[in-house]
Amino acid sequence: MDLRIVKTKKAIINAFLALRAKRPLEKITVKELCEMAMVNKSTFYSHYGDIYELSDSLENEVVLSVIQSMDHSEYIWENTGEFTRQLVLGYLSQDHLIQILFSDSRSSLFVSKIEQSIKKMIAEKYPQYHLDPVRNMVLTYTIYGGYYAYMGSRNYDRDQILSTLVSLTQNTGNWFLAMEKEKSC
């Protein structure tokens, strides 16, 4: 890729993140973003359709980064605590960007995008689980419960947060495995 294009996109992204850290997405204009990035509006529009497309693109990159940080997504069924540990470590690795990009009106989008990505990944690996209502409920409960517990506790000791969330979700996983065992008997 042309170095000028890389530098231009980086300037646009950095200006956007600086503005987004200060105000809601709805209050950011292309004009002020371009002034801060020192690019023409036509240059911005050659890369992004609008501010929302830029934001969505960056949000998706953060979600992808969290998902890719997980070594074994299938642990949701085998070892729910380890699944949660990997997921929370992914959140921690992207915490600064999560706080910027998913604030204000976009605050609920992150966990929703995480759930969609994980469910898609699991459906590709285990298509037989795609329509299983119990597995889907356990997955949703683990993702949303773990995320909101993490967000509400993120100012506490990192190790304590991790160990508590791992323990809580491992208990959910143990319940699920016991239920699966009962069904097969």
Side-chain angles (χ1 to χ4, degrees):
M1 184 179 268
D2 186 337
L3 186 58
R4 291 172 296 172
I5 294 172
V6 171
K7 285 182 176 183
T8 299
K9 283 187 94 170
K10 188 172 182 157
I12 290 169
I13 290 167
N14 288 338
F16 175 77
L17 291 172
L19 290 168
R20 186 68 179 92
K22 294 177 186 171
R23 64 174 83 112
L25 179 62
E26 299 79 16
K27 302 279 184 177
I28 299 172
T29 65
V30 172
K31 180 183 178 196
E32 71 180 324
L33 173 67
C34 290
E35 287 172 3
M36 184 180 260
M38 294 188 284
V39 299
N40 293 322
K41 285 172 68 173
S42 62
T43 301
F44 172 86
Y45 286 116
S46 70
H47 296 287
Y48 303 100
D50 58 21
I51 291 288
Y52 294 95
E53 183 181 312
L54 168 59
S55 183
D56 193 52
S57 171
L58 295 174
E59 290 168 3
N60 291 338
E61 285 179 28
V62 169
V63 168
L64 183 62
S65 180
V66 169
I67 299 301
Q68 288 178 338
S69 73
M70 299 175 67
D71 295 332
H72 300 284
S73 60
E74 70 275 6
Y75 279 172
I76 182 62
W77 314 123
E78 299 165 13
N79 186 342
T80 310
E82 180 59 22
F83 170 85
T84 299
R85 187 183 75 73
Q86 289 183 16
L87 192 55
V88 171
L89 288 174
Y91 297 159
L92 288 166
S93 73
Q94 297 297 313
D95 191 59
H96 181 68
L97 288 173
I98 292 168
Q99 296 307 309
I100 292 172
L101 293 171
F102 295 97
S103 62
D104 305 314
S105 65
R106 305 197 60 88
S107 63
S108 64
L109 290 179
F110 178 70
V111 70
S112 176
K113 286 183 176 200
I114 288 288
E115 180 190 33
Q116 288 170 1
S117 295
I118 290 174
K119 282 188 173 182
K120 180 181 176 198
M121 185 172 45
I122 288 174
E124 288 169 1
K125 282 186 173 180
Y126 306 101
Q128 69 273 25
Y129 299 153
H130 178 64
L131 298 175
D132 184 325
V134 175
R135 285 184 188 271
N136 276 289
M137 281 189 285
V138 169
L139 185 56
T140 297
Y141 179 83
T142 302
I143 293 168
Y144 276 81
Y147 176 72
Y148 284 112
Y150 158 73
M151 287 304 291
S153 307
R154 55 189 282 280
N155 294 324
Y156 296 120
D157 177 68
R158 176 185 157 185
D159 292 335
Q160 186 176 23
I161 293 169
L162 269 174
S163 66
T164 302
L165 287 174
V166 165
S167 178
L168 287 169
T169 55
Q170 187 60 51
N171 288 334
T172 302
N174 291 343
W175 168 84
F176 173 75
L177 290 174
M179 201 172 111
E180 285 290 296
K181 191 175 181 181
E182 213 176 271
K183 275 191 341 188
S184 66
C185 292

